[in-house]
Amino acid sequence: MRLQRHLPTATYRLQLQPDFTFAAAARVVPYLADLGVSHLHLSPVLEAVPGSGHGYDVVDPTRVRAELGGEEGLRELSATAAAHGLGLVVDIVPNHMAVPVPARLNRPLWETLRHGPDSPAARCFDIDWEAGGGRMLLPVLPGPIGGELASFTVERPEGDGGEAVLRHGPLCFPLRPGTEDLPMAELLEAQHYRLAWWRLAAGELNYRRFFTVNELIAVRVEDPEVFAATHGTVLRLLEEGVISGLRIDHPDGLADPPAYLRRLARHTGGAWTVVEKILGAREELPGDWPVAGTTGYDALRHVDGVLRDPAGAAALTEAHRVFTGVPAETGGEWGATELHAARRMVTRELAAEVARWCRAAERVCRTAPKLALRDHSTDALRAALVEIVAGLPVYRPYVPADGPPSATDEALLTEAARRAEETLTDVRERAAVPVVRDLALGRPGGGPAADEARIRFAQLSSALRAKAAEDTAFYRYTPVLAACEVGGDPGRPTVDPGEFHAFCERVARQWPLTGTVLSTHDAKRSADVRARLGALTELAEEWVELLEDRSGEAERPGLPAPDRHTEWIARQTALGFGSPEPGADGEERRRHRERLTAALLKGAREAKLRTDWTDGDPAYEAALEEFTARVLCAEPDAATAGVERQVAELAEVNALSATLLHLTMPGVPDLYQGTEVEYRALVDPDNRAPYRPPAEPTPGSLSARKLRVTREALRLRRRFPEWFGAGSAYTPLRAEGPAADRVLAFGRGPAGEAPRAVTVVTRLSGALPADGSPETVLSLPAGEWEDLLTGRRPAST
């Protein structure tokens, strides 16, 4: 049955997994329809690695995931949603597929490994066959292959059918036809792939991957046939009305994101589509992208930032410098920390990607007709590349294949090149800087090598930004931990009201149907945790004093953790997460301790200062775990409890203000599962638990108040979409009086008309007297007004 497609007024994100299937999602549809959303937002629905809790590790884009209920289950969910007036938005993953080696799950990859670069399936994947001598590196072995040789066996099928496979413990690989009878050492050398120790991946990998995840191989969706094969099922479901919108995961990894989005838009008929594009602090989404907007991390940064106290943030920054004593480049100063992390990442974890760019650049320099491109060594090109790409303040440039770069990209790369020339001291490296800049800008004059250098630069840049900033520097520079969030700017953790209004006016004018978020499956801390952490900017003096008084608790003879840098992060995290509810039993307390410990261990590994994912320090991690249990999860003393009460009071105002801003500002709000009530979650996988509809909250609690605000705002949006969607206006409103700067207000309604709805929230409530500020007045537009939360009818003046 073809269902009618409609634009969303608000979406609700559900994390699908084997423990929460399409059928489970269908059971909560009545509740979500009553809440007031217009669409369900589903995590990836295509076939993924068995047991996957997120679905981004797709193995077969032609089938709907059987563990979730298959296509029949998805259609039943769609019909149930439609019966309640809801549509479906689906998350899709164009950039990569999984590399599952225990079984033949990813059939195109299996065929590529079996038959090599001449396989028709090989065009699907971004593999540099020449660099591997015609073989694809598979870095999956626990140790060097010489020590693993005895563990390989050939498994032969029974009877005449089937094919022999190579096994190594739980791992399974195809065999090149005709090689199954060779001696094992010769057999391994005869394959179209090279099995190797996992540690070789960083420097020798010859396939593009998702960031630094070896288990996710990049897909060449720029090839029309690959696009058709990987998108056919989703496009068919759109055409048939089973789904009505798309969220595009990580488009910055693609060879040409704008071209991909244009092709996608032609096939979807202009269906509502948002892209997971992380914008820099001063970056704007390219205006010619045929999408509704981003997934909303730019909105998150503005909502959070406007509710934090600039003076308190500055005080925390100074206290962090004094308390931790860390050097500027490893957590003492934001710019230096970010640059140091980028240089480390690009020369170590992303060395294989750098090598691939260098191979393309070498080919250009050998054959370029312009003599200015000649006589540059690989070492010099590499050094210049590292400095330029590490200095970019955005994910990547978008230089087209068939035209000049934009003025924005030209300026970004020119400035990055200028800084690189100032930094580099070797004359050969400085001479290579203009070459790298021009390759990134697509200027050498075309040709396959130049095109590849341009594309690889941008893809390297996007991976570097994600891994160096969000997954490294955000765990090192932490004066205001709440600002270390996806899309955030830790060096500038606050936003003034004028900047907030300017952002909203621009969104209403240019991207009225863009996505907005406060919590996501990728957020490092949920919005309510960040609301508590943001409250510290209003309690900076009290919290720092408490921290100094309690710092001796971290010291235990013979234990290496926590150092003062980690202690700062750990204590803020514990305060943001909060203590177990009064009366919690032993099991609840154990679970609370495990969740906090897991988040702190992940943070320490991501910071890569004392331990990391590949070369961990077991003694340090054990000491951090001991500190968490002994100190952070102990019953708070009177002083600690007092600060926690103050944090909770301020955080409640912040959480409710953020909720209302999110639900009424320009854009389409996306609610993460469970966030309509108080929701405290830490970094994934903590925030990806199977969804359960919240129980009716206790009257007067934050959950009850948050649910009330959410219902009223969502139902108003759904009832009057013209007030909030395309064609609507955003009107800043300003209060007058001694507490005017504590009021943030704006009007919404049809463009060209007086506002029909007014949002008013409190910011920086800690400085207000107990009775508020009666002398502060907000003048409402002319007309009769009703407060939807209280029923009162205030005068327009």
Side-chain angles (χ1 to χ4, degrees):
M1 180 176 107
R2 191 180 301 274
L3 305 175
Q4 186 173 4
R5 186 183 296 172
H6 56 286
L7 291 172
T9 60
T11 61
Y12 192 98
R13 167 84 176 203
L14 291 172
Q15 286 295 115
L16 300 169
Q17 50 191 291
D19 290 335
F20 189 81
T21 64
F22 296 136
R27 288 193 289 272
V28 302
V29 163
Y31 164 75
L32 297 177
D34 180 70
L35 187 65
V37 300
S38 65
H39 287 66
L40 305 186
H41 172 192
L42 305 179
S43 60
V45 301
L46 300 179
E47 199 65 69
V49 171
S52 173
H54 51 78
Y56 288 97
D57 43 4
V58 174
V59 295
D60 186 351
T62 68
R63 295 190 298 128
V64 177
R65 189 174 177 186
E67 286 181 303
L68 303 180
E71 186 166 326
E72 182 180 354
L74 178 60
R75 288 179 177 277
E76 290 175 355
L77 170 59
S78 178
T80 300
H84 288 79
L86 306 184
L88 301 184
V89 172
V90 168
D91 203 337
I92 65 170
V93 190
N95 180 68
H96 56 265
M97 293 172 67
V99 184
V101 287
R104 290 168 260 191
L105 298 172
N106 185 336
R107 196 69 204 182
L109 182 58
W110 184 271
E111 292 301 312
T112 298
L113 295 176
R114 179 170 165 78
H115 298 288
D118 293 331
S119 168
R123 69 187 303 168
C124 184
F125 304 106
D126 193 352
I127 304 168
D128 187 350
W129 293 100
E130 183 180 352
R135 303 168 73 192
M136 174 179 161
L137 181 71
L138 281 181
V140 296
L141 301 181
I145 193 167
E148 300 294 325
L149 193 59
S151 300
F152 286 99
T153 60
V154 173
E155 184 178 281
R156 302 172 186 275
E158 295 182 3
D160 296 330
E163 61 185 60
V165 297
L166 178 67
R167 288 199 176 274
H168 181 285
L171 306 179
C172 178
F173 311 93
L175 287 173
R176 185 175 183 172
T179 64
E180 58 268 25
D181 294 323
L182 293 174
M184 185 55 68
E186 294 181 30
L187 180 149
L188 292 172
E189 290 299 302
Q191 303 310 313
H192 290 294
Y193 53 85
R194 173 191 164 201
L195 295 173
W197 188 18
W198 64 269
R199 287 185 179 273
L200 296 185
E204 299 188 30
L205 201 70
N206 65 329
Y207 62 85
R208 189 167 61 84
R209 54 191 166 165
F210 173 69
F211 296 160
T212 58
V213 183
N214 302 333
E215 295 78 15
L216 297 174
I217 183 171
V219 175
R220 298 182 60 252
V221 293
E222 63 272 21
D223 184 314
E225 290 188 23
V226 176
F227 176 92
T230 56
H231 288 66
T233 295
V234 166
L235 294 174
R236 174 173 57 80
L237 293 171
L238 268 170
E239 173 64 23
E240 295 173 3
V242 178
I243 59 178
S244 54
L246 299 174
R247 175 199 184 271
I248 311 301
D249 178 70
H250 187 51
D252 273 344
L254 304 179
D256 190 342
Y260 164 78
L261 293 171
R262 288 192 293 269
R263 176 178 284 131
L264 184 68
R266 289 195 298 271
H267 284 83
T268 66
W272 186 79
T273 300
V274 291
V275 289
E276 188 200 23
K277 168 59 189 169
I278 312 300
L279 295 168
R282 296 167 184 82
E283 183 183 16
E284 294 186 9
L285 188 67
D288 60 349
W289 283 18
V291 295
T294 74
T295 54
Y297 287 110
D298 45 344
L300 181 156
R301 182 176 71 247
H302 283 83
V303 171
D304 275 6
V306 81
L307 298 177
R308 299 187 193 120
D309 186 350
L316 287 174
T317 300
E318 175 61 17
H320 177 267
R321 183 189 66 80
V322 174
F323 182 83
T324 65
V326 294
E329 68 273 11
T330 54
E333 192 272 326
W334 171 242
T337 297
E338 186 179 28
L339 186 58
H340 181 271
R343 286 174 175 152
R344 178 196 186 278
M345 183 65 61
V346 76
T347 55
R348 294 177 61 176
E349 285 88 342
L350 293 171
E353 286 74 11
V354 170
R356 188 167 185 180
W357 179 88
C358 286
R359 290 192 292 272
E362 289 168 1
R363 291 195 295 272
V364 174
C365 291
R366 284 198 307 266
T367 61
K370 295 182 180 179
L371 294 180
L373 294 176
R374 305 280 184 89
D375 296 336
H376 296 286
S377 70
T378 300
D379 288 344
L381 289 167
R382 181 185 297 108
L385 169 70
V386 166
E387 285 303 311
I388 291 177
V389 76
L392 285 179
V394 297
Y395 262 60
R396 60 169 283 171
Y398 301 99
V399 179
D402 54 356
S406 68
T408 297
D409 285 337
E410 175 106 28
L412 282 170
L413 286 162
T414 298
E415 175 60 20
R418 184 192 65 77
R419 290 196 300 267
E421 288 179 324
E422 291 179 351
T423 301
L424 295 168
T425 58
D426 187 297
V427 65
R428 296 169 304 162
E429 295 171 354
R430 288 201 304 271
V433 167
V435 177
V436 176
R437 178 201 61 207
D438 287 349
L439 286 171
L441 288 169
R443 283 181 176 161
D451 285 343
E452 182 173 5
R454 171 181 55 81
I455 291 168
R456 300 299 172 197
F457 180 94
Q459 291 174 322
L460 169 64
S461 177
S462 69
L464 175 61
R465 178 72 181 176
K467 296 304 296 180
E470 293 175 13
D471 288 348
T472 303
F474 278 24
Y475 290 96
R476 294 181 175 183
Y477 182 80
T478 58
V480 182
L481 191 60
C484 301
E485 188 51 83
V486 181
D489 183 359
R492 190 170 174 269
T494 63
V495 170
D496 66 55
E499 184 181 352
F500 177 86
H501 287 312
F503 169 78
C504 289
E505 288 179 299
R506 181 172 59 81
V507 171
R509 184 174 59 254
Q510 298 178 359
W511 304 100
L513 294 176
T514 187
T516 63
V517 294
L518 287 184
S519 296
T520 74
H521 63 291
D522 279 333
K524 301 184 187 304
R525 298 156 196 95
S526 66
D528 290 338
V529 171
R530 298 197 311 276
R532 292 172 62 88
L533 292 172
L536 291 180
T537 63
E538 300 180 68
L539 294 169
E541 183 177 345
E542 294 88 338
W543 187 73
V544 171
E545 182 179 347
L546 180 67
L547 180 66
E548 292 283 3
D549 288 345
R550 298 295 181 270
S551 61
E553 297 172 337
E555 299 174 3
R556 289 289 288 268
L559 293 182
D563 54 274
R564 292 183 74 120
H565 188 194
T566 302
E567 184 181 0
W568 176 284
I569 297 169
R571 288 188 182 273
Q572 276 208 31
T573 302
L575 186 62
F577 194 35
S579 302
E581 294 296 324
D585 59 24
E587 176 61 23
E588 291 174 301
R589 293 182 179 277
R590 180 193 64 78
R591 179 61 184 144
H592 178 273
R593 182 179 68 252
E594 289 179 347
R595 294 171 67 193
L596 180 59
T597 300
L600 293 177
L601 286 174
K602 180 171 183 174
R605 291 167 182 164
E606 295 283 25
K608 307 171 190 68
L609 294 173
R610 299 292 300 272
T611 187
D612 64 33
W613 294 106
T614 58
D615 293 296
D617 183 337
Y620 183 85
E621 294 187 2
L624 179 56
E625 188 169 353
E626 187 274 343
F627 170 73
T628 304
R630 175 174 54 86
V631 176
L632 301 182
C633 294
E635 288 293 333
D637 58 25
T640 302
V643 171
E644 287 188 353
R645 281 194 297 272
Q646 290 178 282
V647 165
E649 291 171 1
L650 295 173
E652 179 162 342
V653 177
N654 288 350
L656 293 174
S657 294
T659 298
L660 189 53
L661 291 175
H662 176 219
L663 298 179
T664 56
M665 69 189 295
V668 177
D670 182 44
L671 281 76
Y672 190 61
Q673 57 183 31
T675 57
E676 66 269 29
V677 297
E678 187 179 17
Y679 176 79
R680 297 188 209 167
L682 300 174
V683 68
D684 66 276
D686 186 65
N687 60 2
R688 296 182 181 181
Y691 174 64
R692 299 290 182 268
E696 190 64 30
T698 303
S701 65
L702 172 56
S703 286
R705 295 178 180 182
K706 193 176 178 187
L707 182 60
R708 176 74 185 281
V709 169
T710 300
R711 279 177 173 159
E712 293 292 349
L714 288 177
R715 290 172 180 178
L716 185 68
R717 290 187 69 100
R718 190 167 63 184
R719 184 181 176 190
F720 299 107
E722 68 275 13
W723 295 2
F724 300 95
S728 65
Y730 176 92
T731 306
L733 300 175
R734 293 174 173 83
E736 297 180 355
D741 63 339
R742 302 295 191 263
V743 180
L744 187 66
F746 53 81
R748 302 301 314 278
E753 301 181 17
R756 305 290 182 85
V758 168
T759 289
V760 186
V761 303
T762 301
R763 58 186 296 269
L764 313 185
S765 62
L768 291 173
D771 63 344
S773 178
E775 302 86 1
T776 301
V777 176
L778 176 70
S779 296
L780 298 175
E784 296 185 6
W785 294 91
E786 178 185 0
D787 186 333
L788 291 181
L789 298 176
T790 66
R792 292 188 297 110
R793 294 182 175 272
S796 60
T797 56

